[in-house]
Amino acid sequence: VFGLSSVAQVVLGRQNFGQHLNINLGFGIGVTLGIHAAGGISGAHLNAAITITHCILGNLPWIKLPAYLIGQFLGSFTAAATVFGIYYDALYDYCKGNFTVTGPTATASIFSTYPAPYMSLPGSFFTEFLATVMLLLGILIIHDEKNNRALRGTEALLTGILVLGIGIGMGMNTGYAINPSRDLPPRIFTAIAGWGTDVFTAGHHWWWIPIIAPTLGSLTGVFIHKIFIDFHNLPVTGCGNEKGQTAVEVS
């Protein structure tokens, strides 16, 4: 709701009520609050790509995957419906009731991501892939018990800042979906709510990239962290003095 409504305000307000940074902040705040809301209950699986990665790594039983995916789908779909209701009058005023995916009064991008007109499919795929690699690397570093992890209690805030950073640096090409659960359910909602099947054909049938690229990027991010960081960390019980001394020297 925070993320999509921030996009709606920027687009429908014709950038008189915010700029691109507002969208990045909206999604960062939404992620932070989502982690606080669901972290103690379910681990705050807000991203299907990360949930699938946990199943592949054996950190989450496969039998739980459908429940997590359904929860993510319903949350994102309901968020799209909520924002649609909040900005229903503004949508009609903006496009005179003609809901379009492309063109000067396009509004489908309020709810789901679409590539910029200059983007090729390979370029779009690589952008989403790399952005999700950075997302996973950031999350793993924040929670790395054997490394210089974040202070306890700050993980949600730092993850929100991480999403903010990805949006600031990698949002121009494709809108940084980096999450199948964030992109597909609102896309389905827009198909039902009046935008039609164009939401699946626009951008050279772009819709599948925010599903596949983040999933592969998530797995790759875990692999990179394992190879270049985790395997080189000393066990927690055996490195207290050394790392403590390093911390003192840096201070």
Side-chain angles (χ1 to χ4, degrees), residues 22 48 71 169 234:
N22 294 66
L234 295 174

Side-chain angles (χ1 to χ4, degrees), residues 98-103 105-109 113-114 187 190 194-203:
N98 183 26
F99 295 164
T100 58
V101 179
T102 58
T105 59
T107 48
S109 60
T113 62
Y114 294 87
R187 193 178 302 275
T190 51
W195 283 265
T197 57
D198 286 350
V199 300
F200 294 104
T201 59

Side-chain angles (χ1 to χ4, degrees), residues 116-138:
Y118 58 82
M119 288 300 295
S120 64
L121 275 182
S124 299
F125 191 99
F126 181 69
T127 297
E128 287 295 322
F129 171 83
L130 184 59
T132 314
V133 168
M134 300 307 295
L135 174 68
L136 261 292
L137 282 174

Side-chain angles (χ1 to χ4, degrees), residues 7-25:
V7 182
Q9 184 160 286
V10 171
V11 172
L12 301 178
R14 303 180 191 274
Q15 298 193 358
N16 293 320
F17 295 90
Q19 305 293 325
H20 188 257
L21 179 59
N22 294 66
I23 298 172
N24 305 146
L25 287 169

Side-chain angles (χ1 to χ4, degrees), residues 13-166:
R14 303 180 191 274
Q15 298 193 358
N16 293 320
F17 295 90
Q19 305 293 325
H20 188 257
L21 179 59
N22 294 66
I23 298 172
N24 305 146
L25 287 169
F27 276 104
I29 292 169
V31 166
T32 297
L33 295 178
I35 293 172
H36 277 296
I41 305 299
S42 65
H45 284 230
L46 311 180
N47 188 327
I50 296 177
T51 302
I52 293 171
T53 298
H54 277 297
C55 288
I56 292 174
L57 294 177
N59 298 330
L60 181 73
W62 283 98
I63 194 172
K64 291 187 177 183
L65 179 63
Y68 277 95
L69 296 185
I70 290 170
Q72 293 162 7
F73 183 98
L74 291 176
S76 190
F77 188 92
T78 305
T82 300
V83 172
F84 180 77
I86 293 172
Y87 284 102
Y88 182 80
D89 293 334
L91 275 166
Y92 263 83
D93 179 69
Y94 182 82
C95 62
K96 310 307 177 187
N98 183 26
F99 295 164
T100 58
V101 179
T102 58
T105 59
T107 48
S109 60
I110 291 174
F111 302 93
S112 294
T113 62
Y114 294 87
Y118 58 82
M119 288 300 295
S120 64
L121 275 182
S124 299
F125 191 99
F126 181 69
T127 297
E128 287 295 322
F129 171 83
L130 184 59
T132 314
V133 168
M134 300 307 295
L135 174 68
L136 261 292
L137 282 174
I139 291 173
L140 291 171
I141 290 168
I142 289 169
H143 293 85
D144 193 344
E145 294 281 357
K146 295 187 293 183
N147 199 358
N148 190 24
R149 66 159 292 156
L151 295 175
R152 295 192 182 278
T154 66
E155 297 92 344
L157 175 61
L158 289 174
T159 304
I161 293 174
L162 170 62
V163 173
L164 168 64
I166 292 172

Side-chain angles (χ1 to χ4, degrees), residues 148 240-251:
N148 190 24
N241 293 335
E242 180 180 342
K243 289 197 173 183
Q245 183 63 35
T246 302
V248 171
E249 290 174 357
V250 171
S251 299

